[in-house]
Amino acid sequence: MSVQPVFLSCAITGGMSVPGQSQAIPVTPDQIVDSAVDASSAGAAIVHLHVREPETGRPVADLGLFKEVLAGVGERCDAIAQPTSGGGVGMTIEERARVVTECRPEMATFNCGSFNFGIFQVRPRPEMADWETDYLESTRDYVFRNTFRDIYRLSELFREAGTKPEYEVYDVGHLYNLQHMAEQELVDFPFHVQFVLGVLGANAASIEQLVHMRQTAVGLFGEDSFTWSAAGVGYPGQFHLAATALMLGGHMRVGLEDNLRVTTSERAESNAALVKKAIALAPLLDRKPAEADEARRLLGLALR
Ligand code: KMH
Ligand code: ZN
């Protein structure tokens, strides 16, 4: 029996959370780069990147900050540097897409549908600034917008930039949106899809729902038409989905963007701690962790 390679993606800082949720969340470009390099040394083949205003930690789509972070990661490690085109609260699709059109990364995230995205249930902590509690509360009214007009346009921009999309699907309907895009010849095969489960407003981070999402994708596109990864939001969903993905032949994503705990009783001190725990599961389940260039080969990206 052959041992299949598995690549791990680490979502370093996030575009929805606020820094007061955990001291471990990196904020400044230097902190984000350091954390990404440490995650890469711990075994992450992909680092998924957002940027934050250095003074406050507020999620932003500032091109200068993205350039600084992408340059820093590129100089210091060989992980696939994967910026978001999802951004965060209050950002327009034009702002979100600029990192793709201006920086032409080898890969970036591509969100496949609109949905409510609520983080108002995060417990306020004494160390949070007023803007942070207001921001969390504002998500009662937040729709993460990815309309058909948006995703058609984004498809063109990704192709012009030569950037491979990682299709983020949060609910089963997003797979039907992806099928529609494929029918319009807006999708290049084989594609890569991330099942992001556990957002309040979309599907749950349960093993049953991951199996359902994967089966639906196989039914729509065929098993050999795509590579896939699972990102569980929250604890223990992050590790339950990582373990399930290992068993089902998928890849995995962990990181402080999606989850702040390393065990039931311990908060994660770093992204590297989350990566180490997930990577340790791979050999137990007969999967071999892939280095960055092996991940590039599996994803059909040019080797660096
Ligand atoms: N924040 C995650 C739930 C993106 O950046 O494009 C989803 C995400 C999307 O990572
Ligand atoms: Zn993200």
Side-chain angles (χ1 to χ4, degrees):
M1 202 172 72
S2 68
V3 175
Q4 274 181 293
V6 56
F7 58 79
L8 182 141
S9 165
C10 184
I12 301 295
T13 181
M16 285 297 290
S17 56
V18 293
Q21 285 176 247
S22 164
Q23 284 188 341
I25 294 175
V27 167
T28 66
D30 283 349
Q31 289 168 354
I32 293 170
V33 172
D34 285 347
S35 190
V37 171
D38 290 348
S40 156
S41 304
I46 303 177
V47 289
H48 169 67
L49 300 162
H50 292 247
V51 288
R52 295 177 181 272
E53 196 173 58
E55 300 76 25
T56 62
R58 185 188 285 274
V60 289
D62 184 281
L63 195 56
L65 294 173
F66 265 123
K67 285 186 174 164
E68 206 177 325
V69 167
L70 291 173
V73 171
E75 273 160 28
R76 290 183 45 202
C77 68
D78 71 348
I80 298 168
Q82 180 205 69
T84 180
S85 75
V89 173
M91 301 174 204
T92 64
I93 190 78
E94 289 77 19
E95 287 169 331
R96 286 162 40 187
R98 277 181 71 206
V99 66
V100 174
T101 54
E102 301 284 328
C103 300
R104 298 175 174 262
E106 54 187 323
M107 194 179 205
T109 55
F110 183 119
N111 292 273
C112 291
S114 302
F115 58 100
N116 292 338
F117 199 136
I119 52 167
F120 52 87
Q121 285 186 321
V122 168
R123 210 163 7 104
R125 301 172 74 86
E127 55 271 40
M128 283 181 189
D130 286 348
W131 78 262
E132 296 181 79
T133 45
D134 291 350
Y135 179 100
L136 296 173
E137 189 55 25
S138 77
T139 64
R140 282 186 195 277
D141 224 8
Y142 178 57
V143 178
F144 184 30
R145 180 195 150 135
N146 298 284
T147 64
F148 283 111
R149 188 186 298 286
D150 292 339
I151 60 187
Y152 272 53
R153 180 76 187 122
L154 216 48
S155 300
E156 285 170 12
L157 296 176
F158 269 69
R159 275 196 179 149
E160 280 165 25
T163 296
K164 181 170 173 118
E166 174 184 280
Y167 293 108
E168 313 289 291
V169 299
Y170 303 78
D171 219 329
V172 76
H174 299 164
L175 288 168
Y176 291 89
N177 294 352
L178 190 54
Q179 182 197 34
H180 169 76
M181 287 196 283
E183 283 166 359
Q184 303 305 307
E185 300 189 347
L186 294 171
V187 175
D188 298 318
F189 284 80
F191 61 85
H192 182 61
V193 63
Q194 184 74 261
F195 299 117
V196 185
L197 300 182
V199 172
L200 180 62
N203 206 346
S206 69
I207 294 167
E208 291 82 355
Q209 291 308 321
L210 177 58
V211 171
H212 175 53
M213 297 281 284
R214 180 187 165 262
Q215 272 311 111
T216 304
V218 169
L220 288 172
F221 304 107
E223 194 148 12
D224 297 333
S225 297
F226 63 97
T227 48
W228 65 276
S229 170
V233 177
Y235 187 91
Q238 179 154 98
F239 294 104
H240 286 186
L241 294 202
T244 309
L246 287 168
M247 290 187 278
L248 294 177
H251 304 280
M252 49 188 177
R253 162 167 143 172
V254 296
L256 293 166
E257 171 162 349
D258 303 329
N259 162 51
L260 300 171
R261 304 200 85 80
V262 74
T263 68
T264 318
S265 57
E266 282 168 283
R267 288 163 69 78
E269 277 176 13
S270 64
N271 278 300
L274 298 170
V275 172
K276 279 180 193 156
K277 176 168 170 173
I279 281 282
L281 298 172
L284 300 176
L285 294 164
D286 299 311
R287 301 287 301 273
K288 183 176 164 303
E291 308 233 329
D293 265 351
E294 172 75 344
R296 286 187 175 89
R297 190 187 63 74
L298 294 166
L299 289 162
L301 298 170
L303 297 188
R304 226 170 78 150

PDB file of all heavy atoms in Angstrom, residues 212-230:
ATOM      1  N   HIS A 212     -20.119  14.869   3.618  1.00  0.00           N
ATOM      2  CA  HIS A 212     -21.194  15.275   2.702  1.00  0.00           C
ATOM      3  C   HIS A 212     -20.674  16.253   1.643  1.00  0.00           C
ATOM      4  O   HIS A 212     -20.972  16.118   0.449  1.00  0.00           O
ATOM      5  CB  HIS A 212     -22.316  15.905   3.528  1.00  0.00           C
ATOM      6  CG  HIS A 212     -23.419  16.476   2.718  1.00  0.00           C
ATOM      7  ND1 HIS A 212     -24.092  15.771   1.748  1.00  0.00           N
ATOM      8  CD2 HIS A 212     -23.992  17.708   2.736  1.00  0.00           C
ATOM      9  CE1 HIS A 212     -25.020  16.533   1.206  1.00  0.00           C
ATOM     10  NE2 HIS A 212     -24.974  17.715   1.774  1.00  0.00           N
ATOM     11  N   MET A 213     -19.890  17.224   2.072  1.00  0.00           N
ATOM     12  CA  MET A 213     -19.342  18.212   1.129  1.00  0.00           C
ATOM     13  C   MET A 213     -18.432  17.517   0.113  1.00  0.00           C
ATOM     14  O   MET A 213     -18.517  17.758  -1.087  1.00  0.00           O
ATOM     15  CB  MET A 213     -18.522  19.275   1.870  1.00  0.00           C
ATOM     16  CG  MET A 213     -19.300  20.115   2.860  1.00  0.00           C
ATOM     17  SD  MET A 213     -20.284  21.426   2.152  1.00  0.00           S
ATOM     18  CE  MET A 213     -19.059  22.656   1.749  1.00  0.00           C
ATOM     19  N   ARG A 214     -17.579  16.636   0.616  1.00  0.00           N
ATOM     20  CA  ARG A 214     -16.656  15.965  -0.293  1.00  0.00           C
ATOM     21  C   ARG A 214     -17.421  15.073  -1.275  1.00  0.00           C
ATOM     22  O   ARG A 214     -17.136  15.066  -2.474  1.00  0.00           O
ATOM     23  CB  ARG A 214     -15.645  15.136   0.496  1.00  0.00           C
ATOM     24  CG  ARG A 214     -14.669  14.428  -0.437  1.00  0.00           C
ATOM     25  CD  ARG A 214     -13.753  13.459   0.256  1.00  0.00           C
ATOM     26  NE  ARG A 214     -13.128  12.611  -0.759  1.00  0.00           N
ATOM     27  CZ  ARG A 214     -13.540  11.403  -1.080  1.00  0.00           C
ATOM     28  NH1 ARG A 214     -14.602  10.858  -0.488  1.00  0.00           N
ATOM     29  NH2 ARG A 214     -12.923  10.714  -2.011  1.00  0.00           N
ATOM     30  N   GLN A 215     -18.405  14.339  -0.766  1.00  0.00           N
ATOM     31  CA  GLN A 215     -19.188  13.461  -1.650  1.00  0.00           C
ATOM     32  C   GLN A 215     -19.927  14.268  -2.709  1.00  0.00           C
ATOM     33  O   GLN A 215     -20.020  13.860  -3.867  1.00  0.00           O
ATOM     34  CB  GLN A 215     -20.208  12.644  -0.831  1.00  0.00           C
ATOM     35  CG  GLN A 215     -19.669  11.346  -0.315  1.00  0.00           C
ATOM     36  CD  GLN A 215     -18.951  10.516  -1.379  1.00  0.00           C
ATOM     37  OE1 GLN A 215     -17.733  10.364  -1.323  1.00  0.00           O
ATOM     38  NE2 GLN A 215     -19.675  10.024  -2.374  1.00  0.00           N
ATOM     39  N   THR A 216     -20.443  15.429  -2.305  1.00  0.00           N
ATOM     40  CA  THR A 216     -21.153  16.290  -3.258  1.00  0.00           C
ATOM     41  C   THR A 216     -20.183  16.764  -4.345  1.00  0.00           C
ATOM     42  O   THR A 216     -20.506  16.744  -5.544  1.00  0.00           O
ATOM     43  CB  THR A 216     -21.791  17.499  -2.527  1.00  0.00           C
ATOM     44  OG1 THR A 216     -22.636  16.990  -1.495  1.00  0.00           O
ATOM     45  CG2 THR A 216     -22.593  18.358  -3.471  1.00  0.00           C
ATOM     46  N   ALA A 217     -18.979  17.148  -3.928  1.00  0.00           N
ATOM     47  CA  ALA A 217     -17.981  17.600  -4.913  1.00  0.00           C
ATOM     48  C   ALA A 217     -17.597  16.464  -5.852  1.00  0.00           C
ATOM     49  O   ALA A 217     -17.478  16.662  -7.073  1.00  0.00           O
ATOM     50  CB  ALA A 217     -16.752  18.145  -4.188  1.00  0.00           C
ATOM     51  N   VAL A 218     -17.433  15.266  -5.313  1.00  0.00           N
ATOM     52  CA  VAL A 218     -17.081  14.112  -6.163  1.00  0.00           C
ATOM     53  C   VAL A 218     -18.213  13.852  -7.168  1.00  0.00           C
ATOM     54  O   VAL A 218     -17.978  13.631  -8.359  1.00  0.00           O
ATOM     55  CB  VAL A 218     -16.799  12.851  -5.300  1.00  0.00           C
ATOM     56  CG1 VAL A 218     -16.693  11.598  -6.170  1.00  0.00           C
ATOM     57  CG2 VAL A 218     -15.517  13.042  -4.493  1.00  0.00           C
ATOM     58  N   GLY A 219     -19.462  13.937  -6.696  1.00  0.00           N
ATOM     59  CA  GLY A 219     -20.614  13.718  -7.581  1.00  0.00           C
ATOM     60  C   GLY A 219     -20.688  14.770  -8.687  1.00  0.00           C
ATOM     61  O   GLY A 219     -21.037  14.459  -9.829  1.00  0.00           O
ATOM     62  N   LEU A 220     -20.355  16.009  -8.356  1.00  0.00           N
ATOM     63  CA  LEU A 220     -20.477  17.098  -9.348  1.00  0.00           C
ATOM     64  C   LEU A 220     -19.327  17.113 -10.347  1.00  0.00           C
ATOM     65  O   LEU A 220     -19.523  17.417 -11.525  1.00  0.00           O
ATOM     66  CB  LEU A 220     -20.517  18.461  -8.634  1.00  0.00           C
ATOM     67  CG  LEU A 220     -21.784  18.807  -7.860  1.00  0.00           C
ATOM     68  CD1 LEU A 220     -21.582  20.099  -7.066  1.00  0.00           C
ATOM     69  CD2 LEU A 220     -22.951  18.976  -8.845  1.00  0.00           C
ATOM     70  N   PHE A 221     -18.120  16.814  -9.852  1.00  0.00           N
ATOM     71  CA  PHE A 221     -16.938  17.065 -10.685  1.00  0.00           C
ATOM     72  C   PHE A 221     -16.138  15.808 -11.016  1.00  0.00           C
ATOM     73  O   PHE A 221     -15.323  15.829 -11.927  1.00  0.00           O
ATOM     74  CB  PHE A 221     -16.000  18.062  -9.973  1.00  0.00           C
ATOM     75  CG  PHE A 221     -16.651  19.356  -9.612  1.00  0.00           C
ATOM     76  CD1 PHE A 221     -16.965  19.669  -8.297  1.00  0.00           C
ATOM     77  CD2 PHE A 221     -16.963  20.281 -10.603  1.00  0.00           C
ATOM     78  CE1 PHE A 221     -17.574  20.867  -7.964  1.00  0.00           C
ATOM     79  CE2 PHE A 221     -17.575  21.492 -10.287  1.00  0.00           C
ATOM     80  CZ  PHE A 221     -17.889  21.777  -8.966  1.00  0.00           C
ATOM     81  N   GLY A 222     -16.320  14.735 -10.242  1.00  0.00           N
ATOM     82  CA  GLY A 222     -15.483  13.538 -10.427  1.00  0.00           C
ATOM     83  C   GLY A 222     -14.255  13.623  -9.537  1.00  0.00           C
ATOM     84  O   GLY A 222     -13.682  14.702  -9.346  1.00  0.00           O
ATOM     85  N   GLU A 223     -13.871  12.466  -8.995  1.00  0.00           N
ATOM     86  CA  GLU A 223     -12.808  12.409  -7.990  1.00  0.00           C
ATOM     87  C   GLU A 223     -11.472  12.983  -8.457  1.00  0.00           C
ATOM     88  O   GLU A 223     -10.726  13.571  -7.690  1.00  0.00           O
ATOM     89  CB  GLU A 223     -12.614  10.947  -7.575  1.00  0.00           C
ATOM     90  CG  GLU A 223     -11.802  10.786  -6.340  1.00  0.00           C
ATOM     91  CD  GLU A 223     -12.258   9.555  -5.539  1.00  0.00           C
ATOM     92  OE1 GLU A 223     -13.030   8.741  -6.072  1.00  0.00           O
ATOM     93  OE2 GLU A 223     -11.818   9.432  -4.403  1.00  0.00           O
ATOM     94  N   ASP A 224     -11.162  12.800  -9.761  1.00  0.00           N
ATOM     95  CA  ASP A 224      -9.845  13.216 -10.241  1.00  0.00           C
ATOM     96  C   ASP A 224      -9.810  14.660 -10.731  1.00  0.00           C
ATOM     97  O   ASP A 224      -8.794  15.111 -11.259  1.00  0.00           O
ATOM     98  CB  ASP A 224      -9.399  12.285 -11.385  1.00  0.00           C
ATOM     99  CG  ASP A 224      -9.237  10.859 -10.880  1.00  0.00           C
ATOM    100  OD1 ASP A 224      -8.952  10.687  -9.670  1.00  0.00           O
ATOM    101  OD2 ASP A 224      -9.432   9.930 -11.694  1.00  0.00           O
ATOM    102  N   SER A 225     -10.925  15.375 -10.573  1.00  0.00           N
ATOM    103  CA  SER A 225     -10.991  16.743 -11.114  1.00  0.00           C
ATOM    104  C   SER A 225     -10.490  17.795 -10.139  1.00  0.00           C
ATOM    105  O   SER A 225     -10.396  18.968 -10.496  1.00  0.00           O
ATOM    106  CB  SER A 225     -12.442  17.099 -11.466  1.00  0.00           C
ATOM    107  OG  SER A 225     -12.894  16.240 -12.461  1.00  0.00           O
ATOM    108  N   PHE A 226     -10.241  17.376  -8.901  1.00  0.00           N
ATOM    109  CA  PHE A 226      -9.854  18.394  -7.919  1.00  0.00           C
ATOM    110  C   PHE A 226      -9.004  17.789  -6.798  1.00  0.00           C
ATOM    111  O   PHE A 226      -9.083  16.584  -6.526  1.00  0.00           O
ATOM    112  CB  PHE A 226     -11.097  19.080  -7.322  1.00  0.00           C
ATOM    113  CG  PHE A 226     -12.006  18.166  -6.544  1.00  0.00           C
ATOM    114  CD1 PHE A 226     -11.925  18.078  -5.153  1.00  0.00           C
ATOM    115  CD2 PHE A 226     -12.965  17.380  -7.197  1.00  0.00           C
ATOM    116  CE1 PHE A 226     -12.769  17.236  -4.435  1.00  0.00           C
ATOM    117  CE2 PHE A 226     -13.813  16.546  -6.475  1.00  0.00           C
ATOM    118  CZ  PHE A 226     -13.714  16.472  -5.093  1.00  0.00           C
ATOM    119  N   THR A 227      -8.204  18.655  -6.187  1.00  0.00           N
ATOM    120  CA  THR A 227      -7.556  18.342  -4.914  1.00  0.00           C
ATOM    121  C   THR A 227      -8.365  19.089  -3.852  1.00  0.00           C
ATOM    122  O   THR A 227      -9.027  20.090  -4.163  1.00  0.00           O
ATOM    123  CB  THR A 227      -6.098  18.831  -4.884  1.00  0.00           C
ATOM    124  OG1 THR A 227      -6.059  20.193  -5.347  1.00  0.00           O
ATOM    125  CG2 THR A 227      -5.204  17.991  -5.773  1.00  0.00           C
ATOM    126  N   TRP A 228      -8.301  18.617  -2.616  1.00  0.00           N
ATOM    127  CA  TRP A 228      -9.115  19.307  -1.598  1.00  0.00           C
ATOM    128  C   TRP A 228      -8.429  19.293  -0.233  1.00  0.00           C
ATOM    129  O   TRP A 228      -7.543  18.472   0.032  1.00  0.00           O
ATOM    130  CB  TRP A 228     -10.514  18.682  -1.491  1.00  0.00           C
ATOM    131  CG  TRP A 228     -10.545  17.255  -1.002  1.00  0.00           C
ATOM    132  CD1 TRP A 228     -10.370  16.129  -1.761  1.00  0.00           C
ATOM    133  CD2 TRP A 228     -10.747  16.794   0.347  1.00  0.00           C
ATOM    134  NE1 TRP A 228     -10.464  15.013  -0.967  1.00  0.00           N
ATOM    135  CE2 TRP A 228     -10.706  15.380   0.323  1.00  0.00           C
ATOM    136  CE3 TRP A 228     -10.985  17.441   1.570  1.00  0.00           C
ATOM    137  CZ2 TRP A 228     -10.876  14.600   1.483  1.00  0.00           C
ATOM    138  CZ3 TRP A 228     -11.162  16.681   2.723  1.00  0.00           C
ATOM    139  CH2 TRP A 228     -11.106  15.273   2.666  1.00  0.00           C
ATOM    140  N   SER A 229      -8.874  20.233   0.580  1.00  0.00           N
ATOM    141  CA  SER A 229      -8.343  20.386   1.926  1.00  0.00           C
ATOM    142  C   SER A 229      -9.513  20.741   2.839  1.00  0.00           C
ATOM    143  O   SER A 229     -10.556  21.196   2.365  1.00  0.00           O
ATOM    144  CB  SER A 229      -7.300  21.514   1.897  1.00  0.00           C
ATOM    145  OG  SER A 229      -6.899  21.871   3.197  1.00  0.00           O
ATOM    146  N   ALA A 230      -9.327  20.511   4.138  1.00  0.00           N
ATOM    147  CA  ALA A 230     -10.388  20.840   5.089  1.00  0.00           C
ATOM    148  C   ALA A 230      -9.869  21.823   6.133  1.00  0.00           C
ATOM    149  O   ALA A 230      -8.782  21.634   6.681  1.00  0.00           O
ATOM    150  CB  ALA A 230     -10.882  19.574   5.788  1.00  0.00           C
TER     151      ALA A 230
END
